[in-house]
Every structure is written in structure tokens, then in C-alpha cells.
Amino acid sequence: MSISLDTPLSSLLSNKRRVSTLKSFGIVSVNDALTYYPFRVTDPVPPRAIREASPGQAMAFAATVRQCRIIPMNARRGYRLEAVVDDADFAATRKVPGGVARLVFFSGRRGYVDWMAMRLAEGTQVIASGVPGEYMGQLQFTHPDIVTVAPAAEQQEPADGAEPAAGAPRRTRSYDVSTAEEGLARVCRPRPVYHASARLSSERIHETITGLLWMLGGRDMAAPGTDSIAVMSDEDEERFAGTLAEAIPDILPEQIRTERGLMHRAEAFRAIHDPSSVQAFHQGIATLRYEEAFICQTALLQARRANGGASAHPCTGGDHDDGLVERFIASLPFQLTEGQRQVIADIRADMAQSHPMQRLLQGEVGSGKTVVAVAAMLQAVEAGHQAVLVAPTQVLAEQHAETIRAMVEGLRSQAIPVTLITGGMKLAARRKAHAIAASGEPGIIVATHAAFSTTFQASNLALVVIDEQHRFGVEQRESLQSKPADGSTPHMLVMTATPIPRTAAMTWFGDLDISWLTELPGGRKPIRTFVINEADGHTMANMFSHIRARIDAGERAYIVCARIDDPSAGETGRQSGEGDGANGAVLDPYAVDDETPQQRPPLHTVTEIADRLQKLPQFQGIAFATLTGRDKDDVKTQVMADFASGKTPVLVCTTVIEVGVDVKQASCMVIFDADRYGLSQLHQLRGRVGRGGTDSWAFLISRAEPGSTAESRLEVIHDSLDGAEIAQADLEFRGAGDVLGDTQSGTHSSLKLLRVVKDAELIVDARSRAERMLAQDPELKESVQLAGAVLDFTRGNEEFLTSN
């Protein structure tokens, strides 16, 4: 049958269990398999005779099985298989005497040892590869890799459809390779190592992928030795490479590939999955890593060009000296930072244009992004249009509406309408709010996800502000951009407090203009951060006493836990970093050292900690409240109101308070299991305190082992209040294995090799080359394969492109 990159594996592989396991890895098609990259490659294994063996040094040799037996292990369940081999013939080719070694395999499954005994039947020639050791004075290889060699009489196969020659033995069992030379060439090559499971080993994944490469290259997957492309004649090699290149066309323009010294795409896949050398493997990885960067940057630049071609309402504002924005800035009870003034000026210039602004505003927690957003919205209102601010939660939307009303009150004789629209509003109130928005009356609208519904219409919309943009997807953003009845596209300002290194921001948000707010407004004091070992009872008691003193002084305290309650069934299965949105935080898989889930202590829960703290003498007479993602919106609103008023000055919660919650009296935060969170998440949480200008404290409670990576990560938070520095350290802790979309954004992404920290220069190079190419060929008419890859990338990474 014909095979292409889109062919499903279920139509190619007869082993349905393997197909099912591959599907659980996200491997469904041939393309999925080829882009399931190994995370490392082994060094080449040198061929050595048995008498040349050195304990602890890997080697490969050809030998003949002289004896094989299965021995039940009486002391424990299972079996031991022992095969005695000698390499007299192979040793002679190396001009050394032959030797004898023992190959040993252990298994609890009788089926496995019977199968291995069949492969190691007496008289069978094998290629063995492994690390030699010594047991009872005899050289021994434990669980070596084995390749079986077909007997000489069976190496010549009859032509297709022909009967074997008279007297020739019929093949009764299958062998891995036809000759010892082919087997040695195969096992001595570097071997890629894949993330695997108990159901499917790295070796079997490798076998499957190289088999698919054979099929793409026009070879028979069922032929002997087809799990390696190591041994071919020059003529076969040339034919195979040509067919493979046709099946896997190049995506990068040839000029760019040549200038960068990169492989053809087909050659790169082959170098990665069946490398002839370690150098070839790394060259293949480098080729496809650059390909990812180039596709990504091309997609972002095209998105930027598309946005620039749309029309928007120019919002030029009124009199420059006495405009609405100027009056707003003059009314503030504090001085703007230089950063705020610069960003406001940039936004005013952008919004005065007839094409839509597309700007990302990244600012530290508490850096004053809301003031900037209000200034932008007032510019739209002054120009006679509507502005909408979209918040991710009802609590945050209500806080924004209340804050903005107070900020804009009295700026002009006629009050500026500030309309709140949330899904939790009563029907009559929501209908009235929708009617105000649909009327087109100039004003400010604050909404939750309700703004994305079809019932929400803002016919005179000129500006959309999205707060904490990582909570919203591209389809939602586009739904707002289509609201204006006149076909215009609103200006767009997206804001985030999530710290992002500048090179990462360029990669993730390359279709946007990016502004940074790095200064904290005057009056905010640095948050004092302490890392406390939970086993240190004395320090823990002092911490609780300190919190009680702050509460008695009229302040508030957050106590953050990773779980709502004990999930009982499946708890340990979730502690590897998967998290559970219904039951608390999504923890960082990189925050934990190399422990199995069973070795990690159970996470603290809201219910457990709230019950425990209320029994402490330090909190006698203090009212506690709890807040989690399970609570209904009206409950959340009431809980936050009671917390802000001081009715319940201690709030035990999950990370639901991570985004946007602004209680100025909050001065203390305790985060249990802090060693299990991402650094940027800890920085976000910490920023919820000290917002009223008071002294503030963050206590990170840890059970990390001394000297562990988790302990080192917490030291970064302890030593720094710089979000960009923390984000950079966070990505560096993730290491070379960091996969941009999967581990940083939490969503699936086509980017599997690109590393935003280590590949910064590569990304810059790819962007500059993509800009030059698009200047000459904006529609990519001369690069059809690249155009298709960009389209696939955009479709598969819509949220990545705009919403990470």
C-alpha cells in the first residue's frame, strides 16, 4: 500500500497492542512517529572479542550459543536464563584467541524466558552487545542486547514466488539479520533512546520508527533486519534516499538550508532515528530545531502582517492638555512611574492609527498595569467608542469594575458608564447590562467569559483589554474582534503578570508589540521572603505567632494549599505534576527531584490545614474562611468580601487567588508544599500581599531534601524579587529537555525541540531570515511546503500563538 506522513499507524502495524500504546504517547500517524524525538543517543559500541573485554566497558561481539538452560529461582518467583557462548570465529578475525562468556537474563514471566531460549537455541549465531561483568570467576553479560543471525544455508532467499532449491532447508524461524557483519554494523551504531513505558520499550519504539522510514523509502518492512537502515549497497542507498526525500519533502527553503549548513528534512529524520554517528544525530536535531524556529517565526510574522492589514477606529482623544486621559493621570493620588508613562504614550500612539493595535503588556505583580489599561480605555471613550476589559474570574471582574468606577468618577460632568457583565449576574441585571453594551453608548465594560458569548454585542467597540491573557484562547479573542457592526477590528491590549524572559516573549508573542513594566509604583515595599522547613517546629510556631500579631494589627493572611481535599483514589498518580484543576493547583513537574510518586509525601489540603490551624493556640478567637475553585461565584464573592472587611482575616485557599485578587490589607502569605510549585507561580502568588504599601511577608513551607534541586529552586525565590530573573531561572532549571509548548505553556504544541533559553540566538536568526523571505514572497507562493507547514502550525497552535 502507499504510505505518506499522514497515513495512520493502525493501517500499517499489525500489532494492535503496540498501536494502542503508541496512541497513548500521542503517536497516531507516521508524522507523529517521526516527530517523537529521542531525548538522547548512546555512544557507539566498539566491537571486541571476549578476551578483549574490560569489566564496565560496553562492547559488542559475534558468538555461537553452545548451551542454553532455564533455571527456576526458588528463593523468589521467576526464572533465570543462562546461555554459554564462544566467539572463536569472530576472535580469529581480530587475531586473538577465542573466549567463552555467559549471557544471563532474569524474568518473572515464563513466556519471556521461553521466547529468549528459542532465540538462543544451541548452535545459533548471535551478536551480543552489553557491559561485561564477572560472576564466580566467569565473564558475564546481564541482559545484553541480542541480534540473531540467519544460518548460512538460509541467507540466500529464493526469488519472489519461486520454490526453494531442491534439498535446501525451509526457514522455520525468523532471524534479525542475514550476516554477522550486518548485525555488528547494526548494534555498534549509536542508538537513540526514547521516552518509553512498561508496555513499550525504547527499543521497540526505535524498531517501529525505523521500520516506518524503510516503508517511506520504498523498502519492505517485513524483510530481515528492517528495524535498521544500516547496511545497504551504494545503489540501494541512493535509491532509498531519493524515495525517502520524495516522501518527506523539505520545508525550509533550499537557500536558507544551504546558508545554515542544514540537512534535508528526510536526511535529518534518518540521522535522528537511525544515526550513523553521534555527530549525525546532533546535526539532525539541529536541523529540525531550526526548522521549528523558522516555521514558528514565519507564522508569527504572517499573523502580525494580517493584523496590520485590518482597519480600526483611530482614537486620537481630545485636547492634549486637558483631555480625559490627562485629567485621569492628574487625579491619581500617586505619581506614575517612568515605565507607566512610556507605555501609556506608546498605547496612545498605537490607538491613534487606523490599523488595530496589537500590544502585550507584561508587568510585575503590582506594577500598575490596571492604571495603564484604564488610560487606554478612557482614550477610546473620549473618541466616542466603547472599551471592554475581560477578566478571567467573576471576583476579579467585580474588583476591576469597582476600582475603575472609583478611578473615573468626576473626570467629566457627565459620568462615564462602567458596566459589569458576568455569568453569575441575575437575569434581569444581565439583560440590562447587555442592552447598555448593545446600544453603542461610549463607556467602559468589564466582563468575564460572558463577553465571548453570542448574546454580548458591543456595536461601537474600539478597544479590547484582556487581563491575564494566558487564561483565554485565540477563538475567544477573535470573537471579540468581530463584535463591531461596522466591520472594524478593535485595538487589542493583552496583559500578563506571568514573568516571561524577553527571548521567550519574542518566541511566544512575536505577532505583538511588547511592553514591559519593571518598576513598582511608589509606596510598595519589597516582600520579605522566608523558606521554612516544615519539620522545624520552632520556626513554624514563630511564624504563626507573627501572623497572629499582624492580624491583631488589622492585617490579613493567605494560607495556600495545593489540594482542596484528599482525592484518596489516584492521589499519588497525580503528584507527578499533572495536577487536578478541580482539586487545586497544577504543580510543576520540574519542581520535584527524581523521586517516584510513592516516595513523595502527600500534598497538604485546604480542609486539612484549615482544621489544623484553627486548633493552634496562636489562632484562638480568629475566624477562618476557605476559598477553592469548586466554590460558586457568589460564594467566592462573599468570601473575598468577608476577607477584605476583616470578618475572616485568615483565608485558607488554593491557587485560585493567584490572579488579580487585590486586598490591600493582606500582608502575610504562607504557601505549603512550596517546593512543588513552579517558580513563576510562586512569584505570582507572593505578589498578592503588600499591595497596600504595608510591610509584607511570604513564607514558603518546604519538605525538600537538603541539597536537592527543589531546595535550590526555592533559593531563587528567596533571593530575588525580579520576575524576569525568576522566569529565566525557572526555564534554566527545566534544562535542555524543556519543550516549549508542553512544559512551559501547559498545552500541546508542535514545538518539540526548540528551547527558548538556549536557542535565543537561533530564534533571532530564524526571525530575521523569515522577515527577509516574507518581504520578497509574502504569500509564500515559492515555498509551498513551508506555507503548508505554517498553516498546520497555526491551526495546531492557535492558543500558543496568542495565549500562552
Side-chain angles (χ1 to χ4, degrees), residues 27-292:
I27 303 173
V28 177
S29 66
V30 173
N31 186 69
D32 294 334
L34 295 186
T35 55
Y36 189 77
Y37 299 115
F39 63 90
R40 68 179 179 90
V41 64
T42 64
D43 291 326
V45 178
R48 292 177 182 157
I50 289 175
R51 289 186 179 272
E52 296 174 306
S54 297
Q57 296 183 12
M59 59 176 282
F61 61 95
T64 302
V65 180
R66 296 307 178 195
Q67 182 185 7
C68 183
R69 59 177 182 162
I70 298 173
I71 306 167
M73 294 186 291
N74 297 325
R76 50 180 177 164
R77 297 177 60 185
Y79 305 90
R80 182 174 80 253
L81 182 146
E82 292 184 359
V84 177
V85 299
D86 78 65
D87 69 341
D89 294 338
F90 175 66
T93 65
R94 298 185 60 81
K95 297 185 169 71
V96 296
V100 176
R102 182 166 53 192
L103 313 181
V104 181
F105 301 85
F106 299 92
S107 179
R109 294 184 293 126
R110 181 66 194 227
Y112 169 80
V113 294
D114 285 343
W115 172 75
M116 186 58 73
M118 180 270 293
R119 300 189 75 210
L120 294 173
E122 186 176 329
T124 302
Q125 188 177 17
V126 297
I127 308 298
S129 173
V131 178
E134 189 174 329
Y135 180 72
M136 298 183 68
Q138 187 172 7
L139 195 69
Q140 175 173 298
F141 292 81
T142 303
H143 283 277
D145 293 328
I146 296 295
V147 174
T148 58
V149 182
E154 298 188 25
Q155 289 175 14
Q156 298 298 323
E157 293 290 330
D160 291 343
E163 289 293 321
R170 290 181 178 272
R171 175 170 289 186
T172 57
R173 50 177 285 203
S174 61
Y175 297 90
D176 298 320
V177 293
S178 298
T179 66
E181 291 75 15
E182 180 184 345
L184 282 167
R186 173 175 152 188
V187 302
C188 290
R189 290 162 66 96
R191 304 286 279 185
V193 182
Y194 303 82
H195 289 293
S197 72
R199 293 184 63 192
L200 192 64
S201 67
S202 173
E203 187 64 25
R204 290 291 168 259
I205 295 172
H206 176 243
E207 171 188 298
T208 301
I209 296 174
T210 50
L212 294 172
L213 281 170
W214 270 87
M215 296 180 74
L216 285 167
R219 307 283 291 185
D220 181 8
M221 188 174 174
T226 54
D227 60 339
S228 175
I229 313 175
V231 181
M232 276 191 283
S233 66
D234 292 343
E235 183 179 347
D236 283 348
E237 166 66 34
E238 185 176 350
R239 186 183 303 113
F240 175 83
T243 306
L244 192 64
E246 291 177 5
I248 309 176
D250 224 344
I251 287 177
L252 289 173
E254 185 175 356
Q255 180 180 352
I256 291 174
R257 183 167 61 83
T258 303
E259 290 172 354
R260 290 283 303 184
L262 304 174
M263 294 177 164
H264 187 283
R265 191 167 196 248
E267 184 185 5
F269 277 129
R270 189 174 169 189
I272 291 170
H273 295 297
D274 197 56
S276 59
S277 66
V278 172
Q279 181 182 4
F281 173 86
H282 290 299
Q283 189 178 357
I285 291 289
T287 293
L288 296 183
R289 180 173 287 139
Y290 190 87
E291 178 188 281
E292 285 187 356

Side-chain angles (χ1 to χ4, degrees), residues 592-717:
V592 183
D593 295 314
D594 296 330
E595 301 171 310
T596 64
Q598 291 74 21
Q599 291 175 314
R600 300 171 199 155
L603 295 166
H604 290 300
T605 68
V606 168
T607 51
E608 168 216 344
I609 291 298
D611 181 64
R612 191 170 117 193
L613 296 189
Q614 290 179 84
K615 295 176 182 178
L616 292 177
Q618 293 94 327
F619 294 113
Q620 291 305 302
I622 297 296
F624 278 64
T626 62
L627 183 67
T628 73
R630 287 182 188 164
D631 294 328
K632 295 182 178 179
D633 285 339
D634 57 342
V635 174
K636 290 178 182 176
T637 301
Q638 187 60 52
V639 167
M640 289 307 301
D642 290 345
F643 180 64
S645 69
K647 183 178 179 180
T648 53
V650 179
L651 182 62
V652 185
C653 55
T654 60
T655 54
V656 68
I657 56 99
E658 176 185 354
V659 173
V661 172
D662 188 4
V663 177
K664 298 191 184 305
Q665 299 88 344
S667 64
C668 296
M669 173 169 288
V670 179
I671 305 175
F672 281 93
D673 296 303
D675 52 302
R676 305 285 287 279
Y677 290 83
L679 296 186
S680 294
Q681 188 175 30
L682 289 173
H683 182 62
Q684 277 271 80
L685 287 166
R686 176 173 61 179
R688 295 301 113 201
V689 297
R691 302 175 72 84
T694 61
D695 290 331
S696 56
W697 297 264
F699 303 99
L700 310 182
I701 312 304
S702 169
R703 289 182 280 184
E705 292 294 326
S708 65
T709 302
E711 184 182 61
S712 300
R713 297 170 80 257
L714 290 181
E715 284 302 312
V716 173
I717 292 288

Side-chain angles (χ1 to χ4, degrees), residues 502-515:
R502 288 180 182 248
T503 53
M506 184 181 68
T507 306
W508 298 337
F509 305 109
D511 61 331
L512 307 177
D513 294 311
I514 304 174
S515 297

